[in-house]
């Protein structure tokens, strides 16, 4: 999967490629879909949600330019697959999921694999995780109509955020906090499930 689908499509960061190679993706998809676990496509994980396509996980992770000592906030734990890739690469991952059953299942999978550098929260991720801010990087894996202010506020100096923005037509944005201001750059067209509002 890593060589034929991810390296071949232009992902160059060796640490990201190695991390993808280490995470057993089949443990993050329903057993009945195990045969498709390493195909380059998103798959249903229950509750109307999906596990992102491996190439997109790689692309978003590479865009964060992680070096190893970062604290990263992830919004939309889902299956926990992107969480595992991040946990391979940085010192701390803080992940928020709004659907409790998904959060519990992801946590069980990730703890079973031995990851000890992940903090879990059930709640509305558009509010971020203020008690733990600032973060060096933020990755949002559900699409927002616009970038939530609280997530921008929780991005530390020099921090990087990748976030899909839009409703039907979505674009992935990279947001950088530089010299006290925010810069944003459009990366590519994507398709994610919507970021839903908490109740
Ligand atoms: N990274 C995940 C992607 C899951 S899809 C994976 O690879 O498996 C996006 C996830 O975002 C879903 O699990 C959905 O329940 C969650 N989500 C949607 N709105 C949310 C919100 N406001 N806060 C936190 N999680 C949210």
């Amino acid at each position: 999967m890593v060589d034929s689908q991810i390296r071949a499509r232009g992902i160059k960061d060796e640490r990201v490629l190695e991390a993808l190679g280490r995470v057993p993706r089949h443990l993050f998809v329903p057993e009945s879909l195990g045969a498709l676990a390493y195909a380059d496509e998103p798959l249903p994980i229950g509750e109307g949600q999906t596990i992102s396509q491996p190439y997109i996980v790689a692309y978003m992770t590479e865009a964060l330019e992680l070096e190893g000592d970062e604290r990263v906030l992830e919004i939309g734990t889902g299956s926990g697959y992107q969480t595992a890739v991040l946990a391979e690469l940085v010192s701390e991952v803080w992940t928020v999921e709004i659907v409790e059953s998904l959060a519990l299942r992801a946590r069980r999978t990730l703890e079973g694999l031995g990851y000890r550098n992940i903090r879990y929260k059930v709640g509305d991720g558009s509010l971020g995780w203020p008690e733990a801010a600032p973060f060096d990087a933020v990755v949002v894996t559900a699409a927002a109509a616009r970038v939530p202010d609280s997530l921008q506020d929780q991005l530390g100096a020099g921090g990087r955020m990748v976030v899909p923005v839009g409703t039907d037509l979505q674009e992935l944005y990279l947001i950088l906090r530089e010299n006290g201001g925010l810069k944003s750059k459009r990366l590519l067209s994507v398709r994610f499930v919507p970021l839903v509002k908490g109740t």
Side-chain angles (χ1 to χ4, degrees), residues 177-188:
R177 181 177 292 287
E178 273 176 359
N179 309 322
L182 290 166
K183 270 209 323 214
S184 86
K185 192 176 152 196
R186 196 176 64 83
L187 299 177
L188 82 168

Side-chain angles (χ1 to χ4, degrees), residues 161-172:
M161 163 156 61
V162 282
V163 51
V165 179
T167 46
D168 287 346
L169 295 174
Q170 302 167 6
E171 302 285 344
L172 189 67

Side-chain angles (χ1 to χ4, degrees), residues 76 117 194:
N117 56 342

Side-chain angles (χ1 to χ4, degrees), residues 99-120:
V99 179
E100 185 171 25
S101 60
L102 292 178
L104 291 172
R105 189 163 74 207
R107 181 171 189 156
R108 219 179 309 126
T109 308
L110 291 160
E111 288 184 347
L113 285 167
Y115 293 107
R116 295 283 174 269
N117 56 342
I118 303 169
R119 312 289 170 86
Y120 306 83

Side-chain angles (χ1 to χ4, degrees), residues 45 49-52 57 74-83 96-99 102 123-126 141-142 193-198:
I45 55 171
Q49 303 302 328
T50 53
I51 175 172
S52 305
V57 173
E74 178 193 34
I75 306 305
T77 315
S79 67
Y81 178 68
Q82 167 88 69
T83 325
V96 186
E97 168 60 53
I98 203 162
V99 179
L102 292 178
D124 182 359
S126 54
T141 71
V193 299
L195 189 73
V196 298
K197 282 250 183 312

Side-chain angles (χ1 to χ4, degrees), residues 41-88:
E41 50 184 288
L43 296 170
I45 55 171
E47 311 286 345
Q49 303 302 328
T50 53
I51 175 172
S52 305
Q53 175 187 357
Y55 169 71
I56 293 294
V57 173
Y59 186 95
M60 291 172 79
T61 309
E62 182 173 67
L64 297 175
E65 296 186 0
L66 302 169
E67 291 180 349
D69 57 356
E70 292 90 350
R71 302 169 71 247
V72 180
L73 174 66
E74 178 193 34
I75 306 305
T77 315
S79 67
Y81 178 68
Q82 167 88 69
T83 325
V85 171
L86 292 168
E88 289 279 346

